Amino acid sequence: MNKTFGFLIGSFCVALLAAEKSRGNACSSAGNSLVSRPNVVLIMCDDMGFSDLGCYGSEIETPNIDALANEGIRFSNFKNAGRCCPSRASLLTGRYQHSVGMGWMTVVDEHRPGYRGQITGEVPTIAEVFKANGYSTYMSGKWHVTVDGSWRPEEDAAPNGSWPTQRGFDEFYGSLSGGGNYYKVKGLKRNTTAITDFPKGYYYTHAITKHAVEFIEHHNTEKPMFMYLAHYAPHVPLQAPAERVEKCKARYAVGYDVLRQQRFQRLEKLGLIPSGKKLPANNGEFDEAVRVDWSDLSEEKKEVWVEEMATYAAMIEVVDDGIGEVVNTLKKKGMYENTYFLFLSDNGGSARQSKLARLRADLTNTPYRLYKCFTYSGGISSPLIIKAPESILFEGSLRHDLAHITDVFPTCLDLAGVEYPETFHGEPISGPDGISLLPALRGDSLPERDLFFEHQTSCAVISGDYKLVRVDSRTPWELIDLKADPFETTDLSSRYPEKAIELEKKWTAWATRNHVFPLEEREWKERVIYYKEKYPDQRGDR
């Protein structure tokens, strides 16, 4: 072990153990336990790719997020559930999405256990557990885990038991919807009151930050705080203030090929990907016409791509500004020194919208294959940053352990010294599917385990060095040796058929336990129409 690295890990372990001992003593002291517990700020971006932060190799300027990373820990092998709703369900419950009713999207309640269009009320959310343990709980931003029929005005919208303030949050500002215009937001609520008036100059990312700051300013520091800051950005439509877009344009004129190679080199230099590997070609998986060099594009298409990518970058930079405001407010309030920060994205960059969107996603997901909605690494890989209170310095360390979005819930509880309940609403419940990442923060290895994925019949299992994955139920499985082939370029299923069969059996057993079957192969519109006609009640499982 490098002596400097060993010293840092040793120093960190001593500090963390001291902090845990102090926290444990505080929790057992009458009258002072709540004040001594740490605050937790959980931040999520929407559709942001693996390499879209400065501290993950990007040309996008994210100094505030980078500062958290430089004082914290970055994970290089963190996996999500591949799309907005499923990832949010897993984040909020610590469980695989199908097991809590959120196997697909909120657009329809299919009245099947794994596909109710919202998270079940049978297990607690992270906010409910923190609130039960004396925390003030705040949320600002995108919810997207309640069935759409509970908030759309044309469907007699009213709280159905699955809105944020009904699932543990004391205060909420944000959208119940999954996406839309940043200047006129669908399904926007202040607690349970609809907001339909958008003043001149309104921009959703600014408003999310504004309300998060106000929650902190009004917070009673006699209690600890849990805040969930769930940004819309950079989910399409790509919209940002014109002056911010203009600021970003020049850096994208060189084109995606050059930028993608530069990101790859920086990722390698930062130690976030293995060294000595070759960057795969741009992804032409669905359309060979997509696999083109920058020089082959017309000037008109180049201008469109630069405009789109500059807007995308500006959206992330505005998010970063807001995180800086939250940090500064916590410092002014005297809360920063006792606050944990966790930052992640819900899935990889999205290729939906146009062929140029695929080229944008190839850059944002560098160096990984495919995009949001797929269970290849481009869809399920995102940054994870954990920054501890100032008394515990991580010194910008990296962790290469395999981690999963279900781990965020138990990790937050572990950091705060909060126990997961044995019962909920008087009924016994099992613990989360995820595990605490605290051992990895200490520098210890996490236990080996298998991870499973499914979205719109795109399926995968990661087991040791191997991954079994397929685009959808109509295509064959591919067997990948992740150690030799981390960018998923070579299918080994014909060479090692026994291994492929072994992993498929594991995936099938998991899918059976977690209400994944039967897989639904209908396309989006047909699927929605079918289940709405079959089940007119679209208010969710109450």
Side-chain angles (χ1 to χ4, degrees), residues 194-212:
I195 299 174
T196 56
D197 181 35
F198 299 92
K200 184 178 180 181
Y202 179 92
Y203 183 61
Y204 190 32
T205 304
H206 289 151
I208 290 172
T209 296
K210 174 179 176 288
H211 283 82

Side-chain angles (χ1 to χ4, degrees), residues 309-367:
M309 194 64 218
T311 306
Y312 179 92
M315 294 166 78
I316 294 174
E317 292 183 2
V318 174
V319 167
D320 184 78
D321 289 348
I323 292 172
E325 290 183 47
V326 168
V327 167
N328 288 335
T329 306
L330 288 166
K331 288 179 177 178
K332 291 177 183 176
K333 190 84 171 182
M335 297 169 63
Y336 177 79
E337 294 77 8
N338 193 34
T339 299
Y340 284 100
F341 293 86
L342 295 90
F343 178 94
L344 68 154
S345 177
D346 62 349
N347 46 251
S350 174
R352 301 192 171 212
Q353 195 178 28
S354 67
K355 289 182 180 180
L356 291 181
R358 292 181 186 174
L359 297 177
R360 183 180 71 246
D362 281 333
L363 174 60
T364 66
N365 292 336
T366 303

Side-chain angles (χ1 to χ4, degrees), residues 263-539:
R263 286 197 185 192
F264 184 79
Q265 291 169 350
R266 285 192 290 264
L267 282 164
E268 188 177 52
K269 186 176 181 179
L270 288 166
L272 288 161
I273 59 173
S275 60
K277 302 293 183 182
K278 183 180 178 181
L279 175 63
N282 281 355
N283 205 324
E285 193 125 6
F286 303 115
D287 188 341
E288 281 297 323
V290 174
R291 189 175 287 173
V292 294
D293 294 331
W294 176 252
S295 58
D296 294 331
L297 290 181
S298 67
E299 290 303 312
E300 181 182 5
K301 286 186 176 180
K302 286 180 180 179
E303 289 178 10
V304 171
W305 186 86
V306 168
E307 179 76 24
E308 285 188 0
M309 194 64 218
T311 306
Y312 179 92
M315 294 166 78
I316 294 174
E317 292 183 2
V318 174
V319 167
D320 184 78
D321 289 348
I323 292 172
E325 290 183 47
V326 168
V327 167
N328 288 335
T329 306
L330 288 166
K331 288 179 177 178
K332 291 177 183 176
K333 190 84 171 182
M335 297 169 63
Y336 177 79
E337 294 77 8
N338 193 34
T339 299
Y340 284 100
F341 293 86
L342 295 90
F343 178 94
L344 68 154
S345 177
D346 62 349
N347 46 251
S350 174
R352 301 192 171 212
Q353 195 178 28
S354 67
K355 289 182 180 180
L356 291 181
R358 292 181 186 174
L359 297 177
R360 183 180 71 246
D362 281 333
L363 174 60
T364 66
N365 292 336
T366 303
Y368 293 122
R369 180 181 175 188
L370 286 184
Y371 322 104
K372 169 185 175 180
C373 299
F374 298 98
T375 56
Y376 288 81
S377 290
I380 61 171
S381 298
S382 70
L384 173 65
I385 297 167
I386 301 179
K387 157 69 170 72
E390 286 193 339
S391 60
I392 309 169
L393 297 178
F394 293 161
E395 301 289 346
S397 302
L398 302 179
R399 296 291 181 271
H400 303 296
D401 301 78
L402 179 64
H404 189 254
I405 196 164
T406 56
D407 301 337
V408 173
F409 188 152
T411 300
C412 288
L413 297 189
D414 213 357
L415 294 173
V418 170
E419 296 287 337
Y420 191 82
E422 295 181 357
T423 63
F424 186 59
H425 296 320
E427 297 294 328
I429 54 171
S430 60
D433 294 319
I435 62 173
S436 172
L437 300 178
L438 188 56
L441 303 186
R442 294 187 180 120
D444 298 330
S445 296
L446 294 175
E448 286 194 10
R449 59 193 165 136
D450 298 335
L451 294 181
F452 301 91
F453 307 85
E454 189 279 334
H455 184 69
Q456 293 186 160
T457 79
S458 182
C459 313
V461 51
I462 299 174
S463 181
D465 291 334
Y466 284 95
K467 178 177 181 179
L468 191 71
V469 60
R470 62 184 181 185
V471 169
D472 56 39
S473 60
R474 298 181 179 93
T475 57
W477 290 96
E478 294 183 60
L479 181 67
I480 308 294
D481 180 348
L482 292 173
K483 188 172 183 180
D485 180 22
F487 309 140
E488 302 174 313
T489 62
T490 305
D491 175 21
L492 301 176
S493 59
S494 60
R495 188 182 305 179
Y496 305 115
E498 299 86 358
K499 190 66 174 179
I501 292 169
E502 173 196 335
L503 295 190
E504 184 177 5
K505 287 181 178 178
K506 284 188 174 186
W507 184 87
T508 301
W510 166 82
T512 301
R513 291 193 306 272
N514 285 273
H515 311 299
V516 178
F517 294 126
L519 295 177
E520 178 56 82
E521 294 185 339
R522 294 179 179 88
E523 296 300 324
W524 179 293
K525 187 175 289 187
E526 182 189 359
R527 182 173 183 170
V528 173
I529 292 172
Y530 173 82
Y531 283 107
K532 282 192 173 183
E533 289 180 349
K534 188 173 183 179
Y535 302 109
D537 178 8
Q538 288 294 311
R539 292 268 302 137

